[in-house]
Amino acid sequence: MHTAAAVLLAVALGAVALRGVAEPRVALAFTALIALGECVRITLPGDREQAPIGAAGALAYALLGPLRGVPTAHGTLQVIAVTGAGLLLAWLPGLALPHRPERPHRRPPWADPARRDSAARRLLAVGFAAAVFQPLYNGGLVDRFSPEGPAYGAFLTAVAALAALCDATLAALLRLSAGSETGPESGPRFPAALEDELRSLFGIGSAIVATGMLVSLAAGEVGLWALPLFCTPLLLAQVSFRRAAAVRATTGQTIATLARATEVAGYTPHGHARRVADTACALGRELGLGTRELALLEYAALMHDVGQLSLVEPVPNGATALLPCDEQQRIARLGSEVISRTGVPRRVAEQVARLADPCSGPVGGERPVPLAARIIRVANAHDDLLTAARGRGVGEAVGRLEALEVLRLGRGRVYDARVVDALARVGGQRHG
């Protein structure tokens, strides 16, 4: 994908250099907007970076028809060239920033895989939008739609929606590729990754598409003044997203504190909650959970033992999986009551409350046990069994085999069969 984007940009820049720049003032204005937008980025859930203003500016140029009532003629290749020039200009400040592996947060943009992925996506998605709109516009086929009429707006909406779908597909493919490079168990399945990207379209993605369309439409009446006029609300939206990110960070700190409470009080071994959360997330990815579901799963896994704080005497090694079923359910309910008062998402408390419910398969009877609860139950039991094996002096490899065998004995009755099978696959990938 990076190679395709680089080749496309080289061809576009070469073509523009040979035939000259159409409407240079307009091209320069959009280049500056894209460059400035790339410098003002936000971080979305899942540690995904986005440059809303830069993306909206590039989409607006791809969908730009008449400017103050005068037809434009920049074409598809110039759209790609202007977008690429804006991206490259945004990277220029990084020339004075030496790459320091020990300080990855200060590395230049071209050394950041996420920034390279974002640039490749932007070029390909904007090139797609321009390839759909510009030939039809320059060929006169769009002239049958009045720029003031609803048909023209519907046409722009359709093209923008296709461009957004293209961008989401490319993003999902890049996430899948990144996961396969770091290990088979570390990345999401393509349907889950695509679902995550499509869901993001209902957040900042919809604002980007709407702003790009509004700028292209308004430019027909007010000219280049449409760029600052309609990008300002998007800038204010970025501020709101930053505040939401701060709230998420506070929630994460609250969860981390609660997760450590049982360890500090001596109810669970050191690192137990983190190990269970890591195993649960690996199982969730193996089972195709998306980013939002994985985040809630991690929260619930970190806090799954909070209910132990209600016990008069700690469970030996914190191994709740070895307790009677009714005692496990009582601890889970008490933990859920504590979690429900901390301000974390309600689904987290619900997942913890159902951790010890009997599992009779994927459906789980009249009240299906949430998949996250079934995953955490297996992950918790796995770590409890491993801790017990280490206490007996059993080697790590033998201990994992013993733990997996115990889980398989309860497969489909105590533990969900799909989750146990996923644990066997993940364990083989990690230690095979």
Side-chain angles (χ1 to χ4, degrees), residues 320-339:
T320 54
L322 306 181
L323 293 174
C325 186
D326 57 345
E327 185 66 10
Q328 292 185 43
Q329 291 176 332
R330 187 180 75 84
I331 293 173
R333 286 194 299 270
L334 291 171
S336 175
E337 292 175 4
V338 174
I339 293 170

Side-chain angles (χ1 to χ4, degrees), residues 185 277-289 294 297 374-376 378-379 418-427 430:
E185 77 283 359
D278 290 343
T279 301
C281 288
L283 293 175
R285 283 189 288 267
E286 178 68 22
L287 293 170
L289 295 186
L294 285 173
L297 173 65
R374 290 178 268 149
I375 289 174
I376 296 170
V378 169
R418 283 201 307 146
V419 180
V420 174
D421 293 343
L423 178 66
R425 294 194 300 270
V426 169
R430 284 180 170 178

Side-chain angles (χ1 to χ4, degrees), residues 152-211:
Y152 185 74
F155 174 65
L156 282 183
T157 302
V159 177
L162 289 174
L165 180 60
C166 175
D167 182 72
T169 303
L170 293 174
L173 289 171
L174 285 169
R175 288 180 59 195
L176 193 67
S177 175
S180 65
E181 290 176 1
T182 56
E185 77 283 359
S186 62
R189 297 293 185 266
F190 178 75
L194 182 59
E195 181 183 355
D196 283 343
E197 299 300 331
L198 291 176
R199 282 183 177 179
S200 71
L201 293 179
F202 295 99
I204 194 67
S206 60
I208 292 172
V209 172
T211 301

Side-chain angles (χ1 to χ4, degrees), residues 1-15 77 80-81 119-120 123-124:
M1 196 176 298
H2 291 176
T3 302
V7 171
L8 185 62
L9 178 58
V11 171
L13 290 173
L77 290 179
I80 298 170
L123 283 171
L124 294 175

Side-chain angles (χ1 to χ4, degrees), residues 354-379:
R354 306 292 305 281
L355 283 179
D357 284 8
C359 176
S360 58
V363 179
E366 295 181 359
R367 290 187 63 207
V369 179
L371 177 59
R374 290 178 268 149
I375 289 174
I376 296 170
R377 185 170 192 179
V378 169

Side-chain angles (χ1 to χ4, degrees), residues 374-409:
R374 290 178 268 149
I375 289 174
I376 296 170
R377 185 170 192 179
V378 169
N380 176 61
H382 183 254
D383 192 71
D384 286 347
L385 292 168
L386 277 179
T387 301
R390 295 188 190 105
R392 301 195 313 269
V394 177
E396 189 70 15
V398 176
R400 291 184 181 278
L401 289 175
E402 287 184 359
L404 185 59
E405 185 61 29
V406 171
L407 294 174
R408 280 175 169 162
L409 290 175

